[in-house]
Amino acid sequence: MPVLTSSYCPPWLLANGYVQSIFPTFFRKLNDDHLLRERITTDDGDFLDIDWSRVGSRTLVIVSHGLEGHSRRPYVLGTVREANRQGWDALAWNFRSCSGDTNLLPRMYHSGATDDLHRVVQHALAQGYEQVHLVGYSMGGNLSLVYAGREAEQLPAEVRSVVAFSVPCDLRGSAYQLAKWQNRVFMWKFLRDLKEKMTVKSQRFPHLVSVDGFDDIRTFKEFDDRYTAPLHGFRDAEDYWTQSSSLRYLPGLQIPTLLVNARNDPFLSPECFPEQLAAGHEFLHLEMPDSGGHVGFIQRTADQTYWMEQRAMSFIADAVADVESLAGQATREVAVS
């Protein structure tokens, strides 16, 4: 597909990538009282917490949050709200240990843990949904793309499209990008939050996890070498990044996919903008607004609706229309025969 021209235009004085990335955390508040929490048991003896917002549809939007996020983050809630406005059900799920309760196993979550996303999809399909559309942000976007690309041949037929925003498609490049001095505040926050979780892990599994010297960690390379890789079966950080970067799986996509990465996203390296690949790909649509930051795409509206959620629903609506058109054509062909 040709690389798409973006319609996003940032509000005056809010175009800076760092402003776009930080502003929503402090100034965007959305209601989550309508969400219904469900805990599902995994086949490996753990659990996943998911939040439902149903309107009685047979079409479902599944939303995956970012690193150290959760299902009640504003960008997730905004996406759920927009899906409901379109007349579709929505499900926002929490990665292991991200719902407020630490998971039961030594493993947690990581950028390539598509097994958990597949569990959520299968659980949803058991409820009778005819169409499922995936929306992911940052790490959740990478996870959704890995799932759709790596598992393309085994993907459930009901999974019809993927939309991903602010995706670190190349984990290695993004890890080194976040290690730069201008991103030290973001890096500090990620490591602070991760330390809390690893501390709990060390108390439950002292033979596997230790937080001694954790404060000497300054980068994802150091964190992933020490924790992510050994806890999840990778040789080291480099092996983890190689195996879990969505960039390597994009060529395998077989369903309509929209990747939106802002050019001023402070988290993304040049490799996260696969223009050449998208230009020759049947299913991958790449959109690169000049502004947007990291999971920002701020828009000034009375109800705090942001551009990225509307863009996601627009893309999904096209996919839904295509599916319905094909179904109608099949019905007509059967009637004629």
Side-chain angles (χ1 to χ4, degrees):
M1 293 291 177
V3 176
L4 303 179
T5 300
S6 181
S7 65
Y8 178 64
C9 182
W12 187 59
L13 297 180
L14 296 178
N16 179 272
Y18 290 93
V19 173
Q20 287 266 1
S21 305
I22 296 171
F23 182 92
T25 300
F26 294 101
F27 298 105
R28 193 184 190 199
K29 309 298 179 185
L30 297 179
N31 178 47
D32 64 359
D33 294 343
H34 62 290
L35 297 181
L36 297 177
R37 172 66 51 93
E38 179 186 9
R39 175 164 292 185
I40 61 176
T41 301
T42 62
D43 53 348
D44 60 354
D46 214 336
F47 66 87
L48 295 171
D49 286 332
I50 63 179
D51 288 331
W52 291 93
S53 184
R54 296 184 175 96
V55 294
S57 176
R58 308 310 280 176
T59 295
L60 177 70
V61 175
I62 296 179
V63 188
S64 301
H65 62 77
L67 178 69
E68 283 305 286
H70 53 74
S71 62
R72 306 296 176 101
R73 284 286 173 88
Y75 59 88
V76 176
L77 295 174
T79 306
V80 167
R81 182 175 64 179
E82 286 303 305
N84 290 165
R85 286 174 171 173
Q86 292 289 327
W88 306 321
D89 286 7
L91 183 165
W93 69 290
N94 294 277
F95 304 160
R96 300 194 194 208
S97 79
C98 290
S99 66
D101 292 333
T102 303
N103 69 302
L104 305 177
L105 301 179
R107 67 166 288 186
M108 292 203 311
Y109 66 90
H110 64 82
S111 293
T114 56
D115 56 335
D116 279 347
L117 177 54
H118 185 64
R119 288 181 174 100
V120 172
V121 169
Q122 293 286 55
H123 180 73
L125 292 179
Q127 319 301 310
Y129 287 103
E130 298 173 356
Q131 289 191 49
V132 170
H133 301 268
L134 307 179
V135 178
Y137 294 93
S138 191
M139 181 178 179
N142 184 79
L143 187 69
S144 300
L145 292 172
V146 173
Y147 178 57
R150 186 172 65 190
E151 313 298 332
E153 297 298 330
Q154 291 78 40
L155 205 66
E158 295 85 354
V159 178
R160 297 293 190 168
S161 74
V162 181
V163 181
F165 290 87
S166 304
V167 181
C169 302
D170 179 69
L171 296 177
R172 185 180 191 277
S174 290
Y176 284 104
Q177 184 72 18
L178 275 162
K180 294 180 178 180
W181 69 269
Q182 61 265 37
N183 288 321
R184 61 189 182 278
V185 172
F186 298 114
M187 194 74 248
W188 170 82
K189 185 180 185 305
F190 284 137
L191 290 175
R192 182 198 64 183
D193 294 345
L194 287 167
K195 181 182 179 181
E196 292 182 8
K197 292 182 177 177
M198 300 319 298
T199 298
V200 175
K201 290 288 183 186
S202 71
Q203 295 166 350
R204 294 187 177 184
F205 308 101
H207 59 297
L208 292 176
V209 179
S210 170
V211 290
D212 293 344
F214 189 100
D215 291 337
D216 294 331
I217 294 177
R218 295 288 183 271
T219 67
F220 277 130
K221 173 71 165 63
E222 296 167 338
F223 180 86
D224 290 339
D225 270 333
R226 181 170 178 181
Y227 296 108
T228 309
L231 286 175
H232 301 100
F234 299 102
R235 184 180 64 252
D236 53 22
E238 292 284 349
D239 183 46
Y240 161 56
W241 296 339
T242 299
Q243 299 298 325
S244 304
S245 291
S246 58
L247 186 63
R248 69 178 295 186
Y249 303 111
L250 295 181
L253 291 168
Q254 296 181 24
I255 56 175
T257 301
L258 174 65
L259 170 60
V260 182
N261 279 349
R263 293 185 183 276
N264 68 347
D265 188 326
F267 292 17
L268 304 185
S269 65
E271 294 79 10
C272 297
F273 301 88
E275 295 183 63
Q276 185 174 355
L277 173 62
H281 202 297
E282 181 180 357
F283 296 103
L284 177 62
H285 302 71
L286 176 63
E287 193 166 331
M288 299 176 294
D290 289 334
S291 182
H294 193 76
V295 194
F297 304 100
I298 301 166
Q299 193 169 258
R300 290 194 182 279
T301 58
D303 61 356
Q304 297 197 59
T305 298
Y306 276 19
W307 175 86
M308 60 187 175
E309 297 124 31
Q310 293 178 319
R311 181 67 184 98
M313 296 309 117
S314 173
F315 188 83
I316 293 173
D318 288 341
V320 169
D322 288 343
V323 171
E324 292 175 346
S325 175
L326 289 173
Q329 180 179 345
T331 299
R332 290 192 295 273
E333 291 176 352
V334 170
V336 171
S337 63

